Amino acid sequence: MYVIDFTKIKVSCENCSLHELCLPRGLEKNELEKLDSIVNRTQPLHKGDVLFRSGDTFTNIYAVRTGCIKLTTSTEQGEEQIIGFYLPGEIIGLDGIEKDIHSCTAEALDTSSLCAIPFDNMTTVCTQVPSLNHEMFRVMGREISHENQLLLTITKKHAEGRIATFLLSLSGRFKQLGYSETEFRLAMSRSEVGNYLGLTFETVSRSMSKLQKQGLISINQKYITIEDMDSLHHICNEKDLPSKESKTAP
Amino acid sequence: MYVIDFTKIKVSCENCSLHELCLPRGLEKNELEKLDSIVNRTQPLHKGDVLFRSGDTFTNIYAVRTGCIKLTTSTEQGEEQIIGFYLPGEIIGLDGIEKDIHSCTAEALDTSSLCAIPFDNMTTVCTQVPSLNHEMFRVMGREISHENQLLLTITKKHAEGRIATFLLSLSGRFKQLGYSETEFRLAMSRSEVGNYLGLTFETVSRSMSKLQKQGLISINQKYITIEDMDSLHHICNEKDLPSKESKTAP
DNA sequence: CCTGGATTTTGATCCAGATCAATTATTAAA
DNA sequence: TTTAATAATTGATCTGGATCAAAATCCAGG
């Protein structure tokens, strides 16, 4: 366990270890500098702090630098639905682009630092730097794919499969960040996992216990160890829900 | 019932009745002309025709001009999940932007005509026409919002609420298109509605019958008449699923 | 007009996960 | 350290919608 003091790190897009996650296809040095010039590094948020709320005027998109942010929408009755958990290198705030008003609320699950990028400035830079513009399209495309994936998970998988899929998604993202892909801490509560996956927290707890009994994971409070990655993958893909569409001709 | 012969209509973005749906904030005349210059009007698709398949190389995005297109993703086992039904004025193909490969399959549910817009050319024009670029961001933002909405519907509403929400969504979009908001034809089967909403076709059929018995809608095969818009709205919003998060302090 | 397959409706059961409930950790405040 | 509030686990029921089944309706092709 070592701790990084982020306040001491010289931050700029160019030397940011995350820029290949923020901007998967990369940019030239001078392009990065242009982007860098409009980025604001904000004060860190603490657990529970809200970055923006549904209904707020949209001005910035944000890149998560450290920590974990949850995004939620809600029904007219105020029922919350978690849309995603965002880790370093991931971008939030795109929900405000359509109507210049945020439709989601962003809340820190851990102490988190972010880069704020004023969207208007960003689009201006985009017109000068076509590759950045294309990157922005890709970032938005990624968001769409993520939601497609979530939809698929929720409608087609049983509780255990949803949990397994969720854990593997986190695992893969931690790996990308250079952390362990087999041991990590869940920044979110069981109840938040449940909300995200369309389950109750009891079902989340039970499913996780079951995975542990099967020897696929170990649970120590918020800490998860993946003991059998292959079997976990197997559970994700087996055990589908409904289907019906037996279109396969005779 | 009157029929429009679309082959006789002079088509261009400028005089297209849909351009304020395609491009909600509008563009100047000369900007529209630039866009128009790269748009290809394709041969109409017939029911069952596939426009692109998951895995295909991404080259175009498409604006639906007439008809109805369904977009699907699938699990590794080939289980289909319908992501959306797209009506005139709506844009499909954005799923290919992230990886230059389509992650969805697009299939016509009716005879449908489309405008194909080569994405590379589009982005080039975008760098010259910032307002078009912004429009593109908005279009992608709209897609993200649509999926958020769907997620909310599926995780928070019971069968009847999902159906009611679905019917009202169609109703609203038909209205926007200048058609009746109370009488319309479902281009999709019960089974497709079910797939989209995370229900079986039996449950779709039963829920629709129930709404009919309550006098909220009338069903005549594929044709739906909304008899009581208010009550239908009410059903959408009442009757939420789980929740738990009783965060409301005492 | 008839015929066979597909779609839809409706009924009867079943079950995964919700709901209700009680117990144990864990964390925060006093 | 005690006390209270919150989160997590586990057990016991209940239920909405899935599954199984059968009949009715629709429709394309011959």
Side-chain angles (χ1 to χ4, degrees):
Chain A
M1 274 297 177
Y2 54 95
V3 174
I4 300 171
D5 180 356
F6 283 100
T7 63
K8 289 190 183 148
I9 293 184
K10 180 172 56 143
V11 280
S12 73
C13 291
E14 191 192 341
N15 63 25
C16 176
S17 65
L18 298 170
H19 82 243
E20 63 184 20
L21 291 171
C22 276
L23 310 165
R25 306 291 173 116
L27 296 180
E28 299 299 319
K29 181 171 168 162
N30 62 330
E31 294 170 346
L32 271 179
E33 282 166 359
K34 268 197 180 138
L35 174 59
D36 187 61
S37 68
I38 61 166
V39 172
N40 305 313
R41 275 93 197 167
T42 60
Q43 285 296 310
L45 298 179
H46 296 101
K47 186 183 162 94
D49 288 352
V50 169
L51 181 61
F52 54 80
R53 241 173 244 289
S54 168
D56 283 358
T57 308
F58 166 68
T59 46
N60 297 312
I61 60 174
Y62 302 87
V64 180
R65 224 150 21 103
T66 64
C68 182
I69 305 283
K70 80 168 176 188
L71 275 192
T72 57
T73 44
S74 58
T75 62
E76 303 182 28
Q77 294 76 56
E79 283 269 34
E80 276 200 353
Q81 168 65 35
I82 298 175
I83 294 300
F85 301 104
Y86 293 78
L87 299 181
E90 299 174 341
I91 309 276
I92 60 176
L94 305 171
D95 57 284
I97 295 178
E98 186 196 6
K99 296 179 174 162
D100 292 321
I101 289 175
H102 283 290
S103 60
C104 293
T105 296
E107 180 188 326
L109 293 181
D110 267 335
T111 302
S112 306
S113 55
L114 300 109
C115 299
I117 308 165
F119 188 68
D120 284 346
N121 296 353
M122 154 74 97
T123 54
T124 307
V125 176
C126 279
T127 59
Q128 298 153 23
V129 184
S131 54
L132 176 62
N133 198 38
H134 201 163
E135 277 307 296
M136 275 307 299
F137 282 129
R138 268 198 254 274
V139 165
M140 295 194 74
R142 210 201 295 169
E143 192 66 15
I144 292 173
S145 301
H146 165 253
E147 302 219 26
N148 285 349
Q149 216 44 52
L150 180 56
L151 209 52
L152 210 52
T153 300
I154 289 179
T155 59
K156 302 292 182 204
K157 295 180 193 199
H158 286 286
E160 257 180 271
R162 295 188 208 177
I163 300 288
T165 304
F166 174 66
L167 293 177
L168 285 174
S169 160
L170 283 180
S171 165
R173 286 147 76 199
F174 284 128
K175 185 181 181 186
Q176 270 205 315
L177 289 169
Y179 301 128
S180 168
E181 62 178 319
T182 54
E183 295 184 47
F184 48 84
R185 182 179 152 275
L186 299 180
M188 64 296 291
S189 68
R190 304 288 190 268
S191 157
E192 286 167 324
V193 174
N195 181 301
Y196 178 61
L197 296 173
L199 300 168
T200 57
F201 67 87
E202 294 100 323
T203 301
V204 172
S205 180
R206 264 186 265 271
S207 301
M208 283 179 45
S209 298
K210 203 166 161 200
L211 291 175
Q212 184 172 38
K213 278 187 200 105
Q214 297 172 252
L216 307 196
I217 64 174
S218 300
I219 306 169
N220 188 282
Q221 303 170 209
K222 297 270 188 183
Y223 292 86
I224 301 291
T225 306
I226 296 183
E227 304 287 0
D228 186 344
M229 192 74 82
D230 290 347
S231 301
L232 213 51
H233 269 290
H234 194 66
I235 287 202
C236 284
N237 297 332
E238 291 272 308
K239 291 189 173 183
D240 275 0
L241 243 54
S243 63
K244 307 273 104 169
E245 331 268 308
S246 44
K247 277 187 177 172
T248 35
Chain B
M1 276 293 180
Y2 52 96
V3 174
I4 300 170
D5 181 354
F6 284 100
T7 63
K8 288 188 182 151
I9 294 184
K10 179 173 57 143
V11 279
S12 73
C13 291
E14 191 192 339
N15 63 25
C16 176
S17 64
L18 297 170
H19 83 242
E20 63 184 22
L21 291 172
C22 275
L23 309 166
R25 306 291 173 113
L27 295 180
E28 298 300 319
K29 180 170 169 161
N30 61 331
E31 295 170 345
L32 270 179
E33 281 167 359
K34 268 198 180 141
L35 173 60
D36 188 61
S37 67
I38 61 167
V39 171
N40 306 313
R41 273 90 197 168
T42 60
Q43 284 296 311
L45 297 178
H46 295 101
K47 188 184 161 87
D49 287 353
V50 169
L51 181 61
F52 55 79
R53 241 173 243 290
S54 168
D56 283 359
T57 308
F58 166 68
T59 46
N60 297 312
I61 60 174
Y62 302 87
V64 180
R65 225 151 16 106
T66 64
C68 181
I69 305 284
K70 78 166 175 190
L71 275 192
T72 57
T73 43
S74 58
T75 62
E76 305 182 26
Q77 295 77 56
E79 283 268 35
E80 276 198 354
Q81 168 65 34
I82 298 175
I83 295 299
F85 301 104
Y86 293 78
L87 299 181
E90 299 174 341
I91 309 277
I92 61 176
L94 305 172
D95 58 284
I97 294 178
E98 187 196 5
K99 297 181 172 160
D100 292 322
I101 288 174
H102 282 290
S103 61
C104 292
T105 297
E107 182 188 326
L109 293 181
D110 267 334
T111 303
S112 306
S113 55
L114 300 109
C115 300
I117 309 165
F119 188 68
D120 284 345
N121 296 354
M122 153 75 95
T123 53
T124 306
V125 176
C126 278
T127 60
Q128 298 154 22
V129 184
S131 55
L132 176 62
N133 199 38
H134 202 162
E135 277 306 298
M136 275 307 298
F137 282 129
R138 267 198 253 273
V139 166
M140 294 194 74
R142 208 201 296 172
E143 192 67 15
I144 292 173
S145 302
H146 165 252
E147 302 220 22
N148 285 349
Q149 217 42 52
L150 180 56
L151 208 52
L152 210 53
T153 300
I154 289 179
T155 60
K156 302 289 181 208
K157 294 178 193 200
H158 286 287
E160 257 180 272
R162 296 188 207 177
I163 300 290
T165 304
F166 174 67
L167 293 177
L168 285 175
S169 160
L170 284 181
S171 165
R173 287 147 76 198
F174 283 127
K175 185 182 181 186
Q176 267 206 315
L177 288 168
Y179 302 127
S180 168
E181 62 177 320
T182 54
E183 295 185 47
F184 48 86
R185 182 180 152 274
L186 300 179
M188 64 296 291
S189 68
R190 302 287 190 267
S191 159
E192 286 167 325
V193 174
N195 181 301
Y196 178 62
L197 296 173
L199 300 168
T200 57
F201 65 89
E202 293 99 323
T203 300
V204 172
S205 179
R206 263 187 266 270
S207 302
M208 284 178 46
S209 299
K210 203 166 160 199
L211 290 175
Q212 184 172 37
K213 276 185 201 109
Q214 298 172 248
L216 309 195
I217 63 173
S218 300
I219 307 169
N220 189 283
Q221 300 171 212
K222 297 271 186 186
Y223 291 87
I224 302 291
T225 306
I226 296 184
E227 305 286 0
D228 184 344
M229 191 74 81
D230 289 346
S231 302
L232 213 51
H233 268 290
H234 193 67
I235 287 204
C236 284
N237 296 332
E238 291 272 309
K239 290 190 177 185
D240 274 2
L241 242 53
S243 64
K244 309 275 103 174
E245 335 265 311
S246 43
K247 277 185 180 174
T248 34

